[in-house]
Amino acid sequence: MSDRNIVYIGNKPIMNYCLAVLSSLQGDGSTVHLKARGRAISSAVDVAEVTRNRFLKDLSVDSIEIGTEELENQEGQKRNVSTITITMKKG
Amino acid sequence: MSDRNIVYIGNKPIMNYCLAVLSSLQGDGSTVHLKARGRAISSAVDVAEVTRNRFLKDLSVDSIEIGTEELENQEGQKRNVSTITITMKKG
């Protein structure tokens, strides 16, 4: 997983991330990883679905992994946040 | 996929759904499907992670599928919504 083929999903408009996915696939790579945490997980699924249905018909979901990360805030309190990694393949 | 082993995730507290997952696994079944749409997708991942990490250590993610559904509102306008199905297995 090189940095170049990872798209981190946050709270920008879905289309921004769709463009990032498409431009990541313009290079040599035929694989792209969408990564998101917490509330942005729903957006990661939106990005995968919109890119695949509207822009790149030969893109398919290769694997989906979920997990938990421990975050520490400025007061040193720890809380768990869910994560998702959606791996998509071209062709 | 019988109705009994599907848990639909909405906007109630995560723990409500964790309990639903646990009670669904009390019966004969060793498999449970978590289903969610739109913003509730993040909560479905939370439910899977919390149940697995805190309540039932021998529960694991069997498969995750994403998709798109077309919803029609009262004015007849159609919009797409993303969906997720997380299948979990005991033992």
Side-chain angles (χ1 to χ4, degrees):
Chain A
M1 239 193 250
S2 81
D3 269 6
R4 258 202 30 241
N5 58 10
I6 302 178
V7 176
Y8 292 94
I9 313 291
N11 51 18
K12 291 182 193 161
I14 298 298
M15 284 305 162
N16 293 30
Y17 301 111
C18 293
L19 284 175
V21 169
L22 292 174
S23 78
S24 154
L25 291 169
Q26 287 297 315
D28 315 323
S30 62
T31 303
V32 63
H33 307 275
L34 313 185
K35 282 178 169 285
R37 294 200 289 210
R39 293 298 107 190
I41 287 175
S42 316
S43 306
V45 175
D46 288 340
V47 172
E49 285 294 299
V50 169
T51 312
R52 180 162 84 84
N53 291 331
R54 247 195 268 179
F55 296 116
L56 211 58
K57 298 283 181 190
D58 66 342
L59 195 68
S60 63
V61 173
D62 191 46
S63 68
I64 304 178
E65 274 168 53
I66 59 175
T68 303
E69 267 178 38
E70 203 175 58
L71 291 185
E72 199 169 328
N73 67 10
Q74 291 170 322
E75 289 88 42
Q77 287 170 322
K78 285 170 185 170
R79 63 184 189 85
N80 289 329
V81 63
S82 299
T83 63
I84 197 167
T85 303
I86 303 175
T87 301
M88 306 195 78
K89 251 203 174 92
K90 200 170 63 173
Chain B
M1 242 192 247
S2 83
D3 269 6
R4 258 202 31 239
N5 58 10
I6 303 178
V7 176
Y8 292 94
I9 313 290
N11 52 17
K12 291 181 193 161
I14 299 298
M15 284 305 164
N16 293 30
Y17 301 112
C18 292
L19 284 176
V21 169
L22 292 173
S23 78
S24 154
L25 291 170
Q26 289 297 316
D28 318 322
S30 62
T31 302
V32 62
H33 307 275
L34 314 185
K35 282 176 169 284
R37 293 199 291 211
R39 293 298 107 190
I41 287 176
S42 316
S43 307
V45 175
D46 288 341
V47 172
E49 286 294 299
V50 169
T51 311
R52 181 161 85 83
N53 292 330
R54 247 195 267 179
F55 297 114
L56 212 59
K57 298 283 182 190
D58 67 341
L59 195 68
S60 62
V61 173
D62 191 46
S63 68
I64 305 179
E65 274 169 53
I66 59 175
T68 302
E69 266 178 39
E70 202 174 59
L71 291 185
E72 198 168 329
N73 66 11
Q74 289 169 323
E75 289 87 42
Q77 288 170 320
K78 284 171 185 167
R79 62 183 191 86
N80 289 328
V81 64
S82 299
T83 63
I84 197 167
T85 303
I86 304 175
T87 301
M88 305 195 78
K89 252 204 173 89
K90 201 171 62 171

